[in-house]
Amino acid sequence: MTRPPPLPAPIERVEVPAFFSPSHFGALRWCKLSVLGERSASALLPPSVYALTGTIVHHVRRELSEGHWRAGLPQEEACSLLLADITRQAEAQLAATAGTAAIVPLREAMGLRIWELRELRLRRWAARMVLQGKNGPVRPLGDLLAVPAGQGPYTPLIETGDEAWLVAPSLRLRGRADRIEQTVPSTLDIVDFKSGRLHDEEGQLLPDATLQVRLYALAAEAAGAGAVRLFLEGDDRHRVPWGGTERGETRALLETISEELPSGKALSARPLAEPGPRCRDCRLRPSCRRYLQWGPKAWMHPQLPGQEPPLDVWGTLERVVTGARGDTVELRDANGNLIIVDGVNPARGVGAMAAGEPVYFFELERTEDRRAHGRVAHPRNFHESPPDGGRRLRQARSLQVFRG
Ligand code: SF4
């Protein structure tokens, strides 16, 4: 039986790019390695179902906006047909890769209710927009699993239309805004589409999304634009304030990060990593030394809901018992706790490992919910296949297993 693959080598050094991408800039404030390390990692965790769905919705909006659908169809119907088509393309890509095959079908991985809600919101958006079908061909979805190459123009540039380049070498900013349009003379409207929620718990526009469009504005102004208006678009368009105060704050932040990350410099990965709740969305976890040290410590104390570390666990293998529902794996974690991972697919090869070997599980599902006084404690029981057949518990569809 094939044993699980070895844990990817840790990222030791990263090279700082010449340009920053506004769409990833917000994460630089929390953990620089999460942005700079992707191209240095030998293996990445699969993208989350939410991130994949966001990419699909984004593509559907762009095709609808550009009229790539049959002119005779009502907008909402065209929207659902396009969504089904692009989802099929995405699922064909995901099914062809071992690490993502279990995410298919996406609507089941996400949960039918949440999927339907996303589709409903997309249809509502389509119904409200002034869209013109042109019978044009739908552009195919790009490679969902590719790491962005980070290439593009090097000279000052402002494009209009969809996926429009904004390049400001003097500020080290380069990115593609979802849409740039000139609806008022001498004024550019820069719009970024968001498929998820736009507001935080306090009702404020999400800080990272707001920062992203403000960086586009800085780039546009540096590249020669006159007046600029900024919008975030989910179900509706929301205006993002942009004036002297916002310009000053955004520029100061950009300058600070630019000084910390000089262009072309090779930096040690370790000081760039800042483990925290945001590690949950990070695909570098198996190759991030700081995360692997921090995870077990973080789980020693119950965490506030939403602040808990990812559902990963690792330690020394004690034994594997094969039953009707797959392998039951027992391991001892770094805190000395006995951890049980149930319903593991025997094809993962954990049964071929010897007791005493280190084993790592990323993206598990919890079998128990350990809450006390409003805080969440680290589960001791996890699963890949849910013991209740999926009635209440979810399948760990993105699970990745490694040996140490
Ligand atoms: S795992 Fe956490 S600490 Fe490591 S790069 Fe990702 S976000 Fe940063």
Side-chain angles (χ1 to χ4, degrees), residues 31 33-34 272-276 278-279 282 284-285 288 290-291:
C31 174
L33 185 61
S34 69
L272 299 173
E274 278 298 333
R278 287 193 172 225
C279 293
C282 181
L284 299 176
R285 301 195 309 266
C288 176
R290 289 284 311 277
Y291 169 70

Side-chain angles (χ1 to χ4, degrees), residues 64-123:
L64 281 169
S65 300
E66 293 204 0
H68 296 160
W69 44 285
R70 206 144 52 76
L73 287 174
Q75 290 170 200
E76 284 178 271
E77 196 182 326
C79 174
S80 284
L81 286 174
L82 260 176
L83 178 63
D85 181 24
I86 305 298
T87 304
R88 264 195 302 277
Q89 289 182 33
E91 290 180 342
Q93 286 187 31
L94 299 171
T97 305
T100 52
I103 305 177
V104 176
L106 279 166
R107 62 170 59 218
E108 278 179 25
M110 179 172 242
L112 289 182
R113 244 193 86 245
I114 304 176
W115 182 275
E116 281 167 9
L117 201 62
R118 289 272 162 109
E119 180 169 355
L120 187 70
R121 290 177 57 194
L122 192 57
R123 283 172 64 100

Side-chain angles (χ1 to χ4, degrees), residues 8-91:
I11 304 169
E12 301 291 359
R13 294 184 84 70
V14 295
E15 187 172 330
V16 180
F19 286 91
F20 297 119
S21 160
S23 59
H24 295 121
F25 197 89
L28 286 173
R29 292 183 296 175
W30 310 108
C31 174
K32 295 180 177 64
L33 185 61
S34 69
V35 179
L36 304 181
E38 278 206 347
R39 270 176 264 153
S40 308
S42 57
L44 293 171
L45 291 176
S48 76
V49 175
Y50 290 94
L52 290 165
T53 310
T55 306
I56 292 169
V57 168
H58 202 278
H59 195 78
V60 172
R61 279 181 190 252
R62 201 182 63 175
E63 295 306 292
L64 281 169
S65 300
E66 293 204 0
H68 296 160
W69 44 285
R70 206 144 52 76
L73 287 174
Q75 290 170 200
E76 284 178 271
E77 196 182 326
C79 174
S80 284
L81 286 174
L82 260 176
L83 178 63
D85 181 24
I86 305 298
T87 304
R88 264 195 302 277
Q89 289 182 33
E91 290 180 342

Side-chain angles (χ1 to χ4, degrees), residues 154-388:
Y154 282 81
T155 49
L157 179 65
I158 313 171
E159 288 182 342
T160 53
D162 290 294
E163 299 286 322
W165 279 111
L166 277 169
V167 186
S170 60
L171 299 176
R172 294 178 64 194
L173 287 175
R174 178 173 65 197
R176 299 179 93 153
D178 286 340
R179 188 163 183 81
I180 302 182
E181 48 198 29
Q182 188 155 24
T183 47
V184 179
S186 314
T187 301
L188 286 181
D189 287 351
I190 301 177
V191 186
D192 198 70
F193 299 142
K194 295 290 170 208
S195 59
R197 66 196 177 101
L198 279 183
H199 297 90
D200 60 17
E201 290 71 23
E202 276 111 48
Q204 303 294 321
L205 284 169
L206 292 173
D208 283 2
T210 303
L211 175 61
Q212 179 184 347
V213 287
R214 286 181 175 158
L215 288 163
Y216 286 142
L218 271 190
E221 290 176 353
V228 171
R229 299 192 302 183
L230 302 176
F231 298 91
L232 290 173
E233 187 171 309
D235 291 353
D236 300 303
R237 266 192 188 185
H238 296 264
R239 181 93 178 255
V240 177
W242 180 243
T245 309
E246 292 81 14
R247 187 177 292 105
E249 286 171 1
T250 311
R251 189 178 270 278
L253 176 65
L254 176 64
E255 282 169 3
T256 304
I257 301 244
S258 237
E259 274 169 28
E260 288 171 7
L261 300 174
S263 170
K265 185 139 190 192
L267 298 175
S268 170
R270 199 183 162 81
L272 299 173
E274 278 298 333
R278 287 193 172 225
C279 293
R280 270 197 310 247
D281 302 321
C282 181
R283 299 173 63 197
L284 299 176
R285 301 195 309 266
S287 41
C288 176
R289 274 192 209 275
R290 289 284 311 277
Y291 169 70
L292 294 175
Q293 286 163 353
W294 170 81
K297 287 186 208 137
W299 273 121
M300 281 176 75
H301 309 287
Q303 307 284 329
L304 285 170
Q307 299 291 308
E308 63 267 45
L311 289 174
D312 304 335
V313 73
W314 54 88
T316 308
L317 183 65
E318 296 221 332
R319 67 175 186 148
V320 180
V321 178
T322 303
R325 285 189 43 260
D327 287 346
T328 300
V329 180
E330 293 180 11
L331 62 95
R332 190 70 59 178
D333 75 5
N335 297 322
N337 301 314
L338 179 67
I339 304 288
I340 296 176
V341 186
D342 193 23
V344 178
N345 183 347
R348 294 190 181 277
V350 185
M353 292 176 61
E357 282 193 88
V359 62
Y360 293 78
F361 292 84
F362 294 89
E363 298 278 347
L364 281 161
E365 288 288 338
R366 63 178 97 216
T367 315
E368 58 177 346
D369 195 1
R370 299 180 67 219
R371 275 169 206 257
H373 311 296
R375 293 194 170 243
V376 187
H378 189 219
R380 305 280 161 84
N381 292 285
F382 296 90
H383 61 263
E384 177 177 7
S385 246
D388 65 353

